[in-house]
Amino acid sequence: MKTYGSIEAGGTKFVLAVGDENNKILKSTQIKTTLPDETIKKTLSFFKENPVDALGIGSFGPIDITPDSPTYGYITSTPKKGWTNYNLLAKIQKALNIPINFTTDVNASAYGEMILTGEKSLVYLTIGTGIGGGAVQNGQFIGGFSHAEMGHQWVKRHPDDLDFKGICPYHNDCLEGVAAGPSIEARTGIRGEDLPDDHPVWEIQAYYIAQIAMNTTLSFAPDQIIFGGGVMGKPGMLKKVQQNFITLLNGYVRIPKTVENYLVLPHIQNNASATIGNFELAKRMK
């Protein structure tokens, strides 16, 4: 029986897993994302102890996913210390010498959700420490010279949030700058998980997140939009986003499902969407 590996390379942690041909997770572990040499050493150790036939990597970015590019496989202009212009793919490829499929973490999550749901056109958005989006249309990833950077699109400011500068080191108040998890603490001085459910900041967050849902609907017309990430795990957040989305869209287009079935949380439990997606992407390397 062949086995397949998954590396969900996140800015906070790496999730490593081995699965069988039916995408059953046989073994998994998490390691903290520290400096590259330490993180990759632990990653390679896991897969040397648990060999696989092929591997899928879904990485935080920006990354270079263009195969004929001289920096293919690199994490490029990330603000994460130590990881800028880091050749992630080559480090792992050289050590393991197996076929590897390389994409973004959100692309991997979108692919995993596609496999489970059977939807051929969907978008996966993660709202957490950062914000990113992966889109699958007719079973294929979208992209041109690079992958999409949906988390850095511009949004209209909430009227109660005009004085907040934003936290994005590149754009200040792009979507990630005003709606990613760290923006909550930047405004309030309190981590999001410690704020009460009725704090006004949640309505501000929902307003911004609903805008990416509307922009995604108008740009890609997907069959479903799936929200992952820690911010969306806040009780009542999805409902707030759905309500804001309906108000913002204002009936301009007809969505293919009720809003409760159109804007949803991941179908794959335990944050395993990227893991399942990576298994399937690894199989494509046979």
PDB file of all heavy atoms in Angstrom, residues 14-39:
ATOM      1  N   PHE A  14       3.928  23.982  11.844  1.00  0.00           N
ATOM      2  CA  PHE A  14       3.923  23.027  10.746  1.00  0.00           C
ATOM      3  C   PHE A  14       3.094  21.829  11.201  1.00  0.00           C
ATOM      4  O   PHE A  14       3.330  21.274  12.285  1.00  0.00           O
ATOM      5  CB  PHE A  14       5.336  22.550  10.424  1.00  0.00           C
ATOM      6  CG  PHE A  14       6.097  23.406   9.440  1.00  0.00           C
ATOM      7  CD1 PHE A  14       6.030  24.794   9.495  1.00  0.00           C
ATOM      8  CD2 PHE A  14       6.889  22.824   8.471  1.00  0.00           C
ATOM      9  CE1 PHE A  14       6.746  25.575   8.619  1.00  0.00           C
ATOM     10  CE2 PHE A  14       7.611  23.597   7.570  1.00  0.00           C
ATOM     11  CZ  PHE A  14       7.548  24.983   7.635  1.00  0.00           C
ATOM     12  N   VAL A  15       2.126  21.426  10.392  1.00  0.00           N
ATOM     13  CA  VAL A  15       1.340  20.221  10.660  1.00  0.00           C
ATOM     14  C   VAL A  15       1.810  19.155   9.677  1.00  0.00           C
ATOM     15  O   VAL A  15       1.716  19.327   8.460  1.00  0.00           O
ATOM     16  CB  VAL A  15      -0.167  20.477  10.502  1.00  0.00           C
ATOM     17  CG1 VAL A  15      -0.955  19.202  10.787  1.00  0.00           C
ATOM     18  CG2 VAL A  15      -0.622  21.605  11.422  1.00  0.00           C
ATOM     19  N   LEU A  16       2.335  18.063  10.204  1.00  0.00           N
ATOM     20  CA  LEU A  16       2.907  16.989   9.399  1.00  0.00           C
ATOM     21  C   LEU A  16       2.029  15.755   9.527  1.00  0.00           C
ATOM     22  O   LEU A  16       1.581  15.419  10.620  1.00  0.00           O
ATOM     23  CB  LEU A  16       4.320  16.660   9.886  1.00  0.00           C
ATOM     24  CG  LEU A  16       5.239  17.857  10.173  1.00  0.00           C
ATOM     25  CD1 LEU A  16       6.561  17.376  10.759  1.00  0.00           C
ATOM     26  CD2 LEU A  16       5.460  18.677   8.911  1.00  0.00           C
ATOM     27  N   ALA A  17       1.804  15.078   8.404  1.00  0.00           N
ATOM     28  CA  ALA A  17       0.924  13.910   8.452  1.00  0.00           C
ATOM     29  C   ALA A  17       1.290  12.897   7.381  1.00  0.00           C
ATOM     30  O   ALA A  17       1.842  13.243   6.331  1.00  0.00           O
ATOM     31  CB  ALA A  17      -0.539  14.332   8.285  1.00  0.00           C
ATOM     32  N   VAL A  18       0.942  11.647   7.658  1.00  0.00           N
ATOM     33  CA  VAL A  18       1.066  10.548   6.707  1.00  0.00           C
ATOM     34  C   VAL A  18      -0.312   9.936   6.542  1.00  0.00           C
ATOM     35  O   VAL A  18      -1.030   9.716   7.534  1.00  0.00           O
ATOM     36  CB  VAL A  18       2.059   9.485   7.218  1.00  0.00           C
ATOM     37  CG1 VAL A  18       2.075   8.267   6.290  1.00  0.00           C
ATOM     38  CG2 VAL A  18       3.452  10.077   7.346  1.00  0.00           C
ATOM     39  N   GLY A  19      -0.700   9.674   5.292  1.00  0.00           N
ATOM     40  CA  GLY A  19      -2.006   9.099   5.031  1.00  0.00           C
ATOM     41  C   GLY A  19      -1.943   7.956   4.045  1.00  0.00           C
ATOM     42  O   GLY A  19      -0.948   7.784   3.320  1.00  0.00           O
ATOM     43  N   ASP A  20      -3.011   7.183   3.996  1.00  0.00           N
ATOM     44  CA  ASP A  20      -3.066   6.065   3.055  1.00  0.00           C
ATOM     45  C   ASP A  20      -3.774   6.499   1.774  1.00  0.00           C
ATOM     46  O   ASP A  20      -4.098   7.676   1.588  1.00  0.00           O
ATOM     47  CB  ASP A  20      -3.730   4.847   3.690  1.00  0.00           C
ATOM     48  CG  ASP A  20      -5.195   5.070   4.060  1.00  0.00           C
ATOM     49  OD1 ASP A  20      -5.809   6.058   3.592  1.00  0.00           O
ATOM     50  OD2 ASP A  20      -5.738   4.244   4.832  1.00  0.00           O
ATOM     51  N   GLU A  21      -4.037   5.543   0.900  1.00  0.00           N
ATOM     52  CA  GLU A  21      -4.634   5.850  -0.400  1.00  0.00           C
ATOM     53  C   GLU A  21      -6.068   6.327  -0.278  1.00  0.00           C
ATOM     54  O   GLU A  21      -6.622   6.894  -1.226  1.00  0.00           O
ATOM     55  CB  GLU A  21      -4.536   4.625  -1.302  1.00  0.00           C
ATOM     56  CG  GLU A  21      -3.095   4.287  -1.668  1.00  0.00           C
ATOM     57  CD  GLU A  21      -2.963   3.026  -2.490  1.00  0.00           C
ATOM     58  OE1 GLU A  21      -3.848   2.136  -2.358  1.00  0.00           O
ATOM     59  OE2 GLU A  21      -1.991   2.909  -3.257  1.00  0.00           O
ATOM     60  N   ASN A  22      -6.687   6.118   0.874  1.00  0.00           N
ATOM     61  CA  ASN A  22      -8.060   6.584   1.110  1.00  0.00           C
ATOM     62  C   ASN A  22      -8.093   7.868   1.940  1.00  0.00           C
ATOM     63  O   ASN A  22      -9.146   8.245   2.463  1.00  0.00           O
ATOM     64  CB  ASN A  22      -8.856   5.490   1.814  1.00  0.00           C
ATOM     65  CG  ASN A  22      -8.983   4.240   0.970  1.00  0.00           C
ATOM     66  OD1 ASN A  22      -9.276   4.316  -0.226  1.00  0.00           O
ATOM     67  ND2 ASN A  22      -8.727   3.082   1.569  1.00  0.00           N
ATOM     68  N   ASN A  23      -6.951   8.518   2.072  1.00  0.00           N
ATOM     69  CA  ASN A  23      -6.816   9.776   2.833  1.00  0.00           C
ATOM     70  C   ASN A  23      -7.044   9.607   4.327  1.00  0.00           C
ATOM     71  O   ASN A  23      -7.302  10.586   5.032  1.00  0.00           O
ATOM     72  CB  ASN A  23      -7.745  10.863   2.284  1.00  0.00           C
ATOM     73  CG  ASN A  23      -7.388  11.260   0.876  1.00  0.00           C
ATOM     74  OD1 ASN A  23      -6.230  11.193   0.483  1.00  0.00           O
ATOM     75  ND2 ASN A  23      -8.380  11.683   0.105  1.00  0.00           N
ATOM     76  N   LYS A  24      -6.928   8.383   4.814  1.00  0.00           N
ATOM     77  CA  LYS A  24      -6.980   8.177   6.254  1.00  0.00           C
ATOM     78  C   LYS A  24      -5.644   8.598   6.855  1.00  0.00           C
ATOM     79  O   LYS A  24      -4.583   8.174   6.398  1.00  0.00           O
ATOM     80  CB  LYS A  24      -7.254   6.710   6.581  1.00  0.00           C
ATOM     81  CG  LYS A  24      -7.308   6.428   8.081  1.00  0.00           C
ATOM     82  CD  LYS A  24      -7.538   4.948   8.358  1.00  0.00           C
ATOM     83  CE  LYS A  24      -7.546   4.662   9.850  1.00  0.00           C
ATOM     84  NZ  LYS A  24      -7.731   3.216  10.124  1.00  0.00           N
ATOM     85  N   ILE A  25      -5.695   9.462   7.873  1.00  0.00           N
ATOM     86  CA  ILE A  25      -4.472   9.918   8.525  1.00  0.00           C
ATOM     87  C   ILE A  25      -3.939   8.802   9.412  1.00  0.00           C
ATOM     88  O   ILE A  25      -4.596   8.360  10.355  1.00  0.00           O
ATOM     89  CB  ILE A  25      -4.731  11.194   9.350  1.00  0.00           C
ATOM     90  CG1 ILE A  25      -5.178  12.339   8.424  1.00  0.00           C
ATOM     91  CG2 ILE A  25      -3.476  11.601  10.117  1.00  0.00           C
ATOM     92  CD1 ILE A  25      -5.591  13.603   9.156  1.00  0.00           C
ATOM     93  N   LEU A  26      -2.730   8.337   9.102  1.00  0.00           N
ATOM     94  CA  LEU A  26      -2.111   7.243   9.845  1.00  0.00           C
ATOM     95  C   LEU A  26      -1.269   7.742  11.005  1.00  0.00           C
ATOM     96  O   LEU A  26      -1.162   7.092  12.036  1.00  0.00           O
ATOM     97  CB  LEU A  26      -1.241   6.403   8.905  1.00  0.00           C
ATOM     98  CG  LEU A  26      -1.951   5.822   7.677  1.00  0.00           C
ATOM     99  CD1 LEU A  26      -0.954   5.112   6.777  1.00  0.00           C
ATOM    100  CD2 LEU A  26      -3.072   4.879   8.107  1.00  0.00           C
ATOM    101  N   LYS A  27      -0.660   8.909  10.804  1.00  0.00           N
ATOM    102  CA  LYS A  27       0.177   9.499  11.843  1.00  0.00           C
ATOM    103  C   LYS A  27       0.293  10.987  11.580  1.00  0.00           C
ATOM    104  O   LYS A  27       0.369  11.415  10.429  1.00  0.00           O
ATOM    105  CB  LYS A  27       1.560   8.855  11.871  1.00  0.00           C
ATOM    106  CG  LYS A  27       2.383   9.232  13.101  1.00  0.00           C
ATOM    107  CD  LYS A  27       3.627   8.369  13.231  1.00  0.00           C
ATOM    108  CE  LYS A  27       4.367   8.683  14.523  1.00  0.00           C
ATOM    109  NZ  LYS A  27       5.575   7.827  14.688  1.00  0.00           N
ATOM    110  N   SER A  28       0.305  11.781  12.640  1.00  0.00           N
ATOM    111  CA  SER A  28       0.445  13.222  12.463  1.00  0.00           C
ATOM    112  C   SER A  28       1.109  13.836  13.687  1.00  0.00           C
ATOM    113  O   SER A  28       1.095  13.246  14.785  1.00  0.00           O
ATOM    114  CB  SER A  28      -0.914  13.882  12.222  1.00  0.00           C
ATOM    115  OG  SER A  28      -1.743  13.772  13.365  1.00  0.00           O
ATOM    116  N   THR A  29       1.673  15.001  13.480  1.00  0.00           N
ATOM    117  CA  THR A  29       2.280  15.748  14.570  1.00  0.00           C
ATOM    118  C   THR A  29       2.313  17.217  14.196  1.00  0.00           C
ATOM    119  O   THR A  29       2.124  17.582  13.022  1.00  0.00           O
ATOM    120  CB  THR A  29       3.712  15.233  14.877  1.00  0.00           C
ATOM    121  OG1 THR A  29       4.170  15.814  16.095  1.00  0.00           O
ATOM    122  CG2 THR A  29       4.677  15.611  13.759  1.00  0.00           C
ATOM    123  N   GLN A  30       2.548  18.058  15.184  1.00  0.00           N
ATOM    124  CA  GLN A  30       2.693  19.492  14.963  1.00  0.00           C
ATOM    125  C   GLN A  30       4.007  19.949  15.563  1.00  0.00           C
ATOM    126  O   GLN A  30       4.416  19.468  16.628  1.00  0.00           O
ATOM    127  CB  GLN A  30       1.547  20.271  15.616  1.00  0.00           C
ATOM    128  CG  GLN A  30       0.179  19.973  15.040  1.00  0.00           C
ATOM    129  CD  GLN A  30      -0.908  20.831  15.668  1.00  0.00           C
ATOM    130  OE1 GLN A  30      -0.629  21.774  16.396  1.00  0.00           O
ATOM    131  NE2 GLN A  30      -2.155  20.485  15.387  1.00  0.00           N
ATOM    132  N   ILE A  31       4.665  20.859  14.866  1.00  0.00           N
ATOM    133  CA  ILE A  31       5.876  21.473  15.404  1.00  0.00           C
ATOM    134  C   ILE A  31       5.755  22.983  15.255  1.00  0.00           C
ATOM    135  O   ILE A  31       5.143  23.479  14.309  1.00  0.00           O
ATOM    136  CB  ILE A  31       7.154  20.956  14.712  1.00  0.00           C
ATOM    137  CG1 ILE A  31       7.103  21.225  13.202  1.00  0.00           C
ATOM    138  CG2 ILE A  31       7.370  19.491  14.987  1.00  0.00           C
ATOM    139  CD1 ILE A  31       8.383  20.865  12.494  1.00  0.00           C
ATOM    140  N   LYS A  32       6.325  23.698  16.180  1.00  0.00           N
ATOM    141  CA  LYS A  32       6.275  25.153  16.151  1.00  0.00           C
ATOM    142  C   LYS A  32       7.147  25.677  15.028  1.00  0.00           C
ATOM    143  O   LYS A  32       8.249  25.173  14.795  1.00  0.00           O
ATOM    144  CB  LYS A  32       6.731  25.716  17.498  1.00  0.00           C
ATOM    145  CG  LYS A  32       6.592  27.225  17.620  1.00  0.00           C
ATOM    146  CD  LYS A  32       7.009  27.698  19.003  1.00  0.00           C
ATOM    147  CE  LYS A  32       6.863  29.218  19.115  1.00  0.00           C
ATOM    148  NZ  LYS A  32       7.283  29.709  20.456  1.00  0.00           N
ATOM    149  N   THR A  33       6.645  26.687  14.316  1.00  0.00           N
ATOM    150  CA  THR A  33       7.441  27.323  13.272  1.00  0.00           C
ATOM    151  C   THR A  33       8.400  28.311  13.921  1.00  0.00           C
ATOM    152  O   THR A  33       7.992  29.381  14.379  1.00  0.00           O
ATOM    153  CB  THR A  33       6.547  28.057  12.254  1.00  0.00           C
ATOM    154  OG1 THR A  33       5.555  27.155  11.753  1.00  0.00           O
ATOM    155  CG2 THR A  33       7.370  28.597  11.095  1.00  0.00           C
ATOM    156  N   THR A  34       9.668  27.916  13.968  1.00  0.00           N
ATOM    157  CA  THR A  34      10.705  28.783  14.518  1.00  0.00           C
ATOM    158  C   THR A  34      11.572  29.243  13.348  1.00  0.00           C
ATOM    159  O   THR A  34      11.054  29.561  12.289  1.00  0.00           O
ATOM    160  CB  THR A  34      11.514  28.045  15.596  1.00  0.00           C
ATOM    161  OG1 THR A  34      12.049  26.830  15.048  1.00  0.00           O
ATOM    162  CG2 THR A  34      10.623  27.702  16.782  1.00  0.00           C
ATOM    163  N   LEU A  35      12.878  29.275  13.506  1.00  0.00           N
ATOM    164  CA  LEU A  35      13.752  29.608  12.384  1.00  0.00           C
ATOM    165  C   LEU A  35      13.825  28.423  11.423  1.00  0.00           C
ATOM    166  O   LEU A  35      13.615  27.264  11.816  1.00  0.00           O
ATOM    167  CB  LEU A  35      15.140  29.983  12.887  1.00  0.00           C
ATOM    168  CG  LEU A  35      15.209  31.311  13.655  1.00  0.00           C
ATOM    169  CD1 LEU A  35      16.599  31.541  14.224  1.00  0.00           C
ATOM    170  CD2 LEU A  35      14.792  32.485  12.763  1.00  0.00           C
ATOM    171  N   PRO A  36      14.105  28.673  10.153  1.00  0.00           N
ATOM    172  CA  PRO A  36      14.008  27.618   9.142  1.00  0.00           C
ATOM    173  C   PRO A  36      14.810  26.358   9.438  1.00  0.00           C
ATOM    174  O   PRO A  36      14.277  25.248   9.322  1.00  0.00           O
ATOM    175  CB  PRO A  36      14.510  28.312   7.874  1.00  0.00           C
ATOM    176  CG  PRO A  36      14.189  29.744   8.073  1.00  0.00           C
ATOM    177  CD  PRO A  36      14.385  29.993   9.537  1.00  0.00           C
ATOM    178  N   ASP A  37      16.075  26.488   9.806  1.00  0.00           N
ATOM    179  CA  ASP A  37      16.903  25.299   9.981  1.00  0.00           C
ATOM    180  C   ASP A  37      16.342  24.369  11.047  1.00  0.00           C
ATOM    181  O   ASP A  37      16.296  23.145  10.870  1.00  0.00           O
ATOM    182  CB  ASP A  37      18.341  25.700  10.338  1.00  0.00           C
ATOM    183  CG  ASP A  37      19.087  26.290   9.147  1.00  0.00           C
ATOM    184  OD1 ASP A  37      18.582  26.168   8.019  1.00  0.00           O
ATOM    185  OD2 ASP A  37      20.172  26.864   9.350  1.00  0.00           O
ATOM    186  N   GLU A  38      15.899  24.940  12.158  1.00  0.00           N
ATOM    187  CA  GLU A  38      15.335  24.131  13.236  1.00  0.00           C
ATOM    188  C   GLU A  38      14.026  23.479  12.818  1.00  0.00           C
ATOM    189  O   GLU A  38      13.787  22.284  13.061  1.00  0.00           O
ATOM    190  CB  GLU A  38      15.115  24.995  14.482  1.00  0.00           C
ATOM    191  CG  GLU A  38      14.530  24.242  15.652  1.00  0.00           C
ATOM    192  CD  GLU A  38      14.253  25.128  16.862  1.00  0.00           C
ATOM    193  OE1 GLU A  38      14.303  26.364  16.726  1.00  0.00           O
ATOM    194  OE2 GLU A  38      13.985  24.570  17.936  1.00  0.00           O
ATOM    195  N   THR A  39      13.174  24.251  12.169  1.00  0.00           N
ATOM    196  CA  THR A  39      11.857  23.744  11.764  1.00  0.00           C
ATOM    197  C   THR A  39      11.994  22.639  10.722  1.00  0.00           C
ATOM    198  O   THR A  39      11.334  21.588  10.818  1.00  0.00           O
ATOM    199  CB  THR A  39      11.001  24.891  11.203  1.00  0.00           C
ATOM    200  OG1 THR A  39      10.956  25.957  12.154  1.00  0.00           O
ATOM    201  CG2 THR A  39       9.593  24.420  10.903  1.00  0.00           C
TER     202      THR A  39
END
